[in-house]
Amino acid sequence: MASSTTKDHSHIEIDGINEESQQMTEKDIVEKDMAPLPGSSIHRSSSRPQLDVSGAAIQGNFEEKDPAILLPNQTDDISHLALDIGGSLIKLIYFSRHADRQVDDGRKRKVKERLGVTNGSRRSYPILGGRLHFVKFETSKINECLDFIHSKQLHCGGMDPRCWPSDAPPSENAVIKATGGGAYKFADLFKERLGVSIEKEDEMNCLVSGANFLLKAIRHEAFTHMEGHKEFVQIDQNDLFPYLLVNIGSGVSMIKVDGDGQFQRVSGTNVGGGTYWGLGRLLTKCKSFDELLELSQRGDNSTIDMLVGDIYGGMDYSKIGLSASTIASSFGKTISENKDLKDYKPEDISLSLLRMISYNIGQIAYLNALRFGLKRIFFGGFFIRGHAYTMDTISFAVQFWSKGDAQAMFLRHEGFLGALGAFMSYEKHGLDDLMVHHLVERFPMGAPYIGGNIHGPPLGDLNEKISWMEKFVRKGTEITAPVPMAPPATTGLGGFEVPSSKGVLRSDASKLNVGVLHLVPSLEVFPLLADPKTYEPNTIDLSDHGELEYWFTVLSEHLSDLVDKAVASEGGTDDAKRRGDAFARAFSAHLARLMEEPAAYGKLGLANLLELREECLREFHFFDAYRTIKQRENEASLAVLPDLLMELDSLTEDMRLLTLIEGVLAANIFDWGSRACVDLYHKGTIIEIYRMSRKKMQRPWRVDDFDAFKERMLGFGDKKPQPHKRALLFVDNSGADIVLGMLPLARELLRRGTEVVLVANSLPALNDVTAMELPDIVAEAAKHCDILRGAAEAGGLLVDAMSNIQDGYKENTPSVPLMVVENGCGSPCIDLRQVSSELAAAAKDADLVILEGMGRSLHTNYNAKFKCDALKLAMVKNQRLAAKLVKGNIYDCVCRYEPAS
């Protein structure tokens, strides 16, 4: 998660590469040839010229946070700046990109060739890769905006601004796109100060284009907000139109949207954000819009507004459905009171004014929706600002006047609709052809933009970010913090504490609501999902506050141990300790923020929290906190693998299958993400724990479908079933889990003639094995096994590995391939709506999926349905999860088999 996101300087980052992919070739940049899912893409003109990414290559290694991309054949200038200049605020979007060098991986290339991942692209043009930064300024401070543009040379276009000379002139015919009234008003000023011309884009067209992009391309973009409760609404792209778009800027425009490029402005009102700010400045002397909103948080409008209860003696007017607290007349009490302006509290005035304008906009919006028979109304614009009371007031008005038939919805990226639409009007980025599964949202820490003011350049340098974090804690009054600050040393979590409020949002609630959107063209929807539209990866719902509090406590208690491991993985240096402290502060701040507003980052599930932790580690350059532990456990497990294989080969077929499943369940105990398991590690060696676990594997298990799986594998009586054609094995932990559990199971499937694909993480997470580590583990295991040796050679895993075999390779051993692919993520969990293109290719011929481990088969995908046979295996290592999910106890086992649906 990113810091341009933790604050007002929220930026969207769009990467034309998979940051989770640590090694990429040109094949990774360009998508494989496959028709898009129906209704999943955003229409665009195929005639537009696009960025030339031929020969594109990633530069650097996986330890670089933001590796650059080299585009050797790109010659056209790419415009990098678009603005929406309103009467109150300037919204600015600028694009940045980097440059890079190529990495080659022979094993990965060979597996891709076998799986048929080609250079072909489903598009006739590539997509521009990089980052989109979102910034705002008060229009009255336009000179600050111009200074900012000039300091970063954004008007010159091109590469990373840090590479430009400060006096670099713009090209003679430089043009930037802008919309809003200020595009006309300030055109001469832009020419005079920056030497660029403004190309004015139609405001309504930009608003609609920006809204359509957000609603189609971002999964959790729209939400409702009633009485402080935010609930995300999943929009079916095939059922998006028609809708009413209400953009609340200085004034209000209401637009009926019937499709891409099909819309009409049907109404509006001059009573909008400018009215609120203008009257607010006159009546309260506030110096900024945010200050006025903050003031309203402490207000009581009943001292100024005439309520229904004031007219009817404190009673409701129930006959017509009006409660005593309903406003009968905004500012109505001031008529009969002999008071001057100074006698009223500014906060009461601010709240009364906010309610008056919000109710008015909500009512007019509903009446227009009624006029055209629209049930769906989206509100956007910087008037809303993520402010809870504003959204509640608008929602109440729509619900009241529609009697619940219509629904007010809001956008997480509200305020930047026009600027985003203006940016999309450039014809060289392909931004309007994204699919929802290509976008991954993260929330980094650190914020240079506070309240519309610029406090330095974006924090791209790690040292800058750590320094900012230290100031963030030390000078909470000078730098706006994303969470309430506690006195130093009150928690042990870096000075942050979980706030006591349960749903009251601050006026700056939007400052953490927009994340960094990475565009990853190589991500796809897992083809074997029975119904991708109804698929929900999270099995733990954190909407219940008690559930949320429990898991936050678990993550907090595990934090100190994780920091110790992370620092040790980097040699325990002073630099590592400083980064470890910064990570602890940042992650604690995220937890506190989410405890205060669980929906701040979108729909929240346990999988999201676990992924957030891993992203936060990587942000502070801890790329594999358990590296040393994993190596040690792999070596210990490989040492005893030959004895285990001899034991398995001595068993009958049915006993061997049972022992293999027992072995997977027993080995799954090795999980450094579980406090109970960490405690076990201090009581014995990995092999001792494994043997102890094996002895406790007696059936029946808590969830026990072994007999059904055995019948599918071995048949019944004389009836022998056909072996599966290809099995996808989603592996979990390093050490005994992969070496003594999943590899022997893979070996059995290979023995039966089934192709096996081991699916592992793209990036490290806890002690999970990664796709980069697996080939070397397989190569070591293959030294002791002919079956693994032949299959690994057939699958291209031994291209770069040591090839000597201790017991001799039998040339006549028939071999089906054993392959390794990355899953596209770096988390203990997996969301099958976003997997790597090579996993999607491997899945096309697969008829068996085996999901192993708590993260992949319990936290996520326990309820997932597949088009093929599925086996879900895990040992439950958390008491609460055991009770909630399988109605059992810690160390209970799950063997859930589900035939193809």
Side-chain angles (χ1 to χ4, degrees):
M1 300 195 167
S3 137
S4 18
T5 80
T6 65
K7 298 292 201 205
D8 267 348
H9 84 303
S10 336
H11 72 261
I12 292 183
E13 176 175 308
I14 299 185
D15 286 352
I17 61 167
N18 185 350
E19 186 178 79
E20 277 89 353
S21 249
Q22 296 158 359
Q23 298 186 3
M24 297 184 66
T25 66
E26 182 178 343
K27 296 177 184 178
D28 299 305
I29 304 291
V30 186
E31 291 185 305
K32 61 192 182 59
D33 189 11
M34 176 180 138
L37 296 175
S40 62
S41 65
I42 300 172
H43 175 73
R44 62 164 290 111
S45 168
S46 60
S47 64
R48 292 183 179 181
Q50 299 299 317
L51 189 69
D52 183 358
V53 297
S54 58
I58 185 172
Q59 186 173 27
N61 56 48
F62 76 98
E63 293 190 351
E64 294 181 7
K65 174 69 176 103
D66 293 307
I69 301 174
L70 177 65
L71 303 174
N73 301 315
Q74 177 60 41
T75 56
D76 292 342
D77 289 332
I78 303 299
S79 296
H80 286 254
L81 175 65
L83 303 100
D84 178 3
I85 311 175
S88 306
L89 293 166
I90 300 172
K91 284 75 68 178
L92 180 149
I93 294 179
Y94 70 93
F95 176 81
S96 65
R97 58 186 170 94
H98 304 282
D100 241 2
R101 135 200 94 221
Q102 186 163 354
V103 175
D104 185 40
D105 184 339
R107 287 181 296 203
K108 186 171 181 178
R109 187 171 63 252
K110 189 160 185 177
V111 168
K112 282 193 165 193
E113 289 170 359
R114 173 174 283 279
L115 294 175
V117 181
T118 69
N119 281 328
S121 171
R122 70 163 61 106
R123 301 180 182 83
S124 59
Y125 51 85
I127 296 178
L128 185 66
R131 300 180 185 87
L132 275 178
H133 306 256
F134 286 54
V135 191
K136 68 179 177 69
F137 297 85
E138 295 177 12
T139 305
S140 62
K141 298 177 182 177
I142 189 169
N143 285 321
E144 290 187 9
C145 177
L146 293 170
D147 290 342
F148 176 74
I149 293 171
H150 185 270
S151 71
K152 296 186 176 299
Q153 297 288 287
L154 301 180
H155 56 307
C156 297
M159 298 292 288
D160 187 341
R162 291 172 291 184
C163 301
W164 298 331
S166 59
D167 57 351
S171 61
E172 185 176 345
N173 300 314
V175 172
I176 58 175
K177 300 274 192 176
T179 188
Y184 298 87
K185 182 178 179 180
F186 299 112
D188 292 342
L189 185 60
F190 272 79
K191 188 69 174 178
E192 175 188 335
R193 289 282 308 276
L194 301 175
V196 298
S197 299
I198 286 183
E199 185 171 323
K200 305 165 187 70
E201 293 296 319
D202 179 76
E203 190 167 0
M204 296 299 115
N205 189 65
C206 288
L207 288 171
V208 172
S209 178
N212 284 347
F213 167 76
L214 293 171
L215 289 167
K216 288 186 177 184
I218 301 176
R219 182 168 281 116
H220 297 136
E221 176 62 28
F223 61 91
T224 59
H225 203 287
M226 286 291 290
E227 298 180 355
H229 177 69
K230 180 188 289 186
E231 184 171 336
F232 288 93
V233 179
Q234 190 58 46
I235 304 296
D236 184 346
Q237 296 184 13
N238 297 314
D239 190 34
L240 173 60
F241 308 112
Y243 67 84
L244 186 69
L245 176 62
V246 181
N247 188 67
I248 313 173
S250 297
V252 183
S253 290
M254 300 186 184
I255 308 163
K256 179 176 177 281
V257 183
D258 294 300
D260 290 311
Q262 303 172 34
F263 62 89
Q264 59 176 320
R265 186 180 189 274
V266 294
S267 187
T269 171
N270 60 347
V271 180
T275 311
Y276 177 58
W277 192 357
L279 286 175
R281 285 191 66 184
L282 290 174
L283 297 174
T284 69
K285 309 302 182 185
C286 282
K287 303 239 187 310
S288 73
F289 195 96
D290 285 328
E291 185 183 352
L292 191 62
L293 275 180
E294 182 64 34
L295 205 60
S296 72
Q297 291 288 102
R298 306 187 298 272
D300 178 4
N301 68 297
S302 65
T303 65
I304 293 176
D305 294 339
M306 183 179 292
L307 309 181
V308 168
D310 295 326
I311 300 173
Y312 294 98
M315 304 291 290
D316 295 339
Y317 191 173
S318 54
K319 182 181 284 189
I320 58 174
L322 297 178
S323 69
S325 61
T326 301
I327 298 174
S329 175
S330 292
F331 288 85
K333 275 187 182 171
T334 64
I335 299 171
S336 57
E337 294 178 335
N338 187 22
K339 292 182 180 179
D340 294 325
L341 179 60
K342 67 179 185 306
D343 298 319
Y344 293 97
K345 292 181 180 179
E347 49 265 49
D348 296 346
I349 294 173
S350 177
L351 181 58
S352 179
L353 191 58
L354 179 66
R355 293 191 70 171
M356 177 184 76
I357 293 170
S358 299
Y359 277 139
N360 182 260
I361 293 170
Q363 181 179 10
I364 296 174
Y366 165 66
L367 292 174
N368 277 281
L370 181 65
R371 174 184 168 198
F372 294 102
L374 306 175
K375 298 289 187 184
R376 195 178 283 154
I377 311 172
F378 295 105
F379 291 85
F382 254 112
F383 170 72
I384 297 171
R385 205 73 66 90
H387 189 246
Y389 203 93
T390 305
M391 293 186 286
D392 276 352
T393 306
I394 291 173
S395 296
F396 178 83
V398 171
Q399 183 186 58
F400 177 83
W401 290 107
S402 71
K403 295 182 171 58
D405 288 342
Q407 204 172 34
M409 285 181 282
F410 305 91
L411 304 176
R412 293 177 60 218
H413 296 80
E414 47 87 14
F416 285 103
L417 300 185
L420 181 58
F423 183 84
M424 292 176 68
S425 67
Y426 289 116
E427 299 188 341
K428 293 181 181 178
H429 52 63
L431 193 62
D432 50 352
D433 194 50
L434 303 185
M435 300 183 191
V436 67
H437 57 271
H438 291 146
L439 292 165
V440 180
E441 189 169 24
R442 303 191 182 108
F443 296 82
M445 184 60 66
Y449 306 107
I450 313 292
N453 297 318
I454 304 302
H455 291 257
L459 302 179
D461 178 76
L462 177 64
N463 189 60
E464 290 178 5
K465 186 170 290 188
I466 294 173
S467 297
W468 185 89
M469 284 300 300
E470 290 167 347
K471 281 194 254 180
F472 176 74
V473 173
R474 194 169 58 244
K475 301 182 180 180
T477 58
E478 296 178 24
I479 299 179
T480 305
V483 293
M485 301 297 298
T490 56
T491 69
L493 294 179
F496 296 98
E497 66 176 357
V498 175
S500 58
S501 58
K502 302 288 195 295
V504 177
L505 305 188
R506 304 176 315 281
S507 63
D508 66 344
S510 66
K511 292 178 183 175
L512 277 173
N513 285 6
V514 178
V516 175
L517 285 179
H518 295 256
L519 167 60
V520 188
S522 60
L523 290 182
E524 308 216 10
V525 178
F526 189 58
L528 294 177
L529 285 175
D531 186 0
K533 287 185 178 180
T534 60
Y535 169 77
E536 169 55 51
N538 286 293
T539 52
I540 302 296
D541 184 5
L542 299 184
S543 59
D544 173 72
H545 186 78
E547 194 74 23
L548 185 69
E549 200 163 27
Y550 170 79
W551 288 104
F552 276 18
T553 301
V554 169
L555 290 175
S556 297
E557 290 177 347
H558 186 252
L559 187 57
S560 61
D561 182 66
L562 180 57
V563 170
D564 289 343
K565 295 289 188 301
V567 172
S569 74
E570 300 287 322
T573 63
D574 290 341
D575 172 70
K577 291 175 183 177
R578 188 168 176 238
R579 285 187 283 123
D581 181 64
F583 157 70
R585 296 180 192 279
F587 187 55
S588 298
H590 284 306
L591 291 180
R593 178 71 179 94
L594 290 169
M595 195 66 187
E596 182 183 21
E597 187 192 352
Y601 296 163
K603 187 175 180 181
L604 183 63
L606 182 55
N608 307 109
L609 276 178
L610 296 175
E611 185 170 11
L612 171 59
R613 179 182 60 190
E614 301 305 321
E615 284 298 329
C616 199
L617 274 169
R618 285 189 277 273
E619 183 181 359
F620 292 95
H621 287 198
F622 292 109
F623 298 100
D624 194 350
Y626 289 80
R627 182 190 302 121
T628 304
I629 292 171
K630 290 194 294 182
Q631 291 171 348
R632 184 174 68 242
E633 293 184 352
N634 285 337
E635 290 170 2
S637 300
L638 285 164
V640 299
L641 178 62
D643 291 340
L644 174 62
L645 297 183
M646 287 181 61
E647 175 192 340
L648 290 168
D649 289 343
S650 69
L651 301 175
T652 62
E653 191 177 45
D654 57 343
M655 276 302 299
R656 186 166 66 243
L657 184 62
L658 174 60
T659 304
L660 284 164
I661 299 301
E662 287 177 344
V664 171
L665 294 172
N668 190 234
I669 195 173
F670 297 98
D671 188 345
W672 281 91
S674 164
R675 172 58 62 185
C677 293
V678 171
D679 293 339
L680 273 180
Y681 296 157
H682 299 299
K683 300 176 182 177
T685 67
I686 185 173
I687 302 306
E688 289 171 342
I689 298 170
Y690 171 71
R691 287 171 177 158
M692 174 196 72
S693 184
R694 277 276 301 270
K695 289 178 181 178
K696 295 183 178 180
M697 285 296 109
Q698 288 82 17
R699 299 177 63 200
W701 301 312
R702 175 57 59 177
V703 176
D704 194 342
D705 296 331
F706 173 77
D707 290 335
F709 178 66
K710 175 183 172 183
E711 184 172 341
R712 169 60 186 89
M713 291 290 291
L714 307 181
F716 186 77
D718 296 331
K719 187 177 180 181
K720 297 295 181 184
Q722 281 290 109
H724 291 96
K725 180 179 180 182
R726 177 182 290 172
L728 302 181
L729 275 61
F730 288 76
V731 298
D732 192 11
N733 304 304
S734 296
D737 202 349
I738 179 63
V739 176
L740 305 180
M742 291 299 276
L743 270 184
L745 179 59
R747 176 177 179 262
E748 181 68 17
L749 291 166
L750 292 166
R751 188 205 297 266
R752 295 174 178 279
T754 299
E755 293 184 4
V756 173
V757 179
L758 300 175
V759 184
N761 268 16
S762 299
L763 290 177
L766 293 173
N767 62 318
D768 291 355
V769 68
T770 67
M772 181 175 286
E773 297 162 342
L774 253 183
D776 290 333
I777 295 173
V778 172
E780 287 297 317
K783 293 178 181 179
H784 311 289
C785 174
D786 294 345
I787 297 174
L788 289 177
R789 163 72 180 189
E793 283 197 341
L797 292 183
L798 301 186
V799 173
D800 302 316
M802 293 184 295
S803 57
N804 60 308
I805 287 288
Q806 293 178 353
D807 53 354
Y809 173 51
K810 300 174 184 176
E811 294 292 340
N812 61 351
T813 303
S815 296
V816 290
L818 171 65
M819 293 169 279
V820 170
V821 300
E822 60 178 331
N823 56 23
C825 78
S827 164
C829 302
I830 185 169
D831 183 344
L832 293 175
R833 294 171 299 194
Q834 294 179 302
V835 302
S836 70
S837 57
E838 57 189 71
L839 173 53
K844 288 178 183 175
D845 293 324
D847 49 3
L848 173 63
V849 167
I850 299 179
L851 289 156
E852 182 240 354
M854 281 212 309
R856 294 160 187 80
S857 63
L858 297 184
H859 292 321
T860 52
N861 301 304
Y862 186 68
N863 299 317
K865 301 298 181 185
F866 298 95
K867 296 176 183 176
C868 64
D869 295 348
L871 180 66
K872 300 168 185 178
L873 300 169
M875 176 183 284
V876 188
K877 289 153 285 189
N878 176 278
Q879 181 59 56
R880 193 177 185 94
L881 184 67
K884 284 270 184 181
L885 202 60
V886 298
K887 313 298 186 213
N889 299 300
I890 192 169
Y891 302 131
D892 277 345
C893 290
V894 171
C895 175
R896 187 176 191 179
Y897 174 67
E898 298 162 329
S901 58

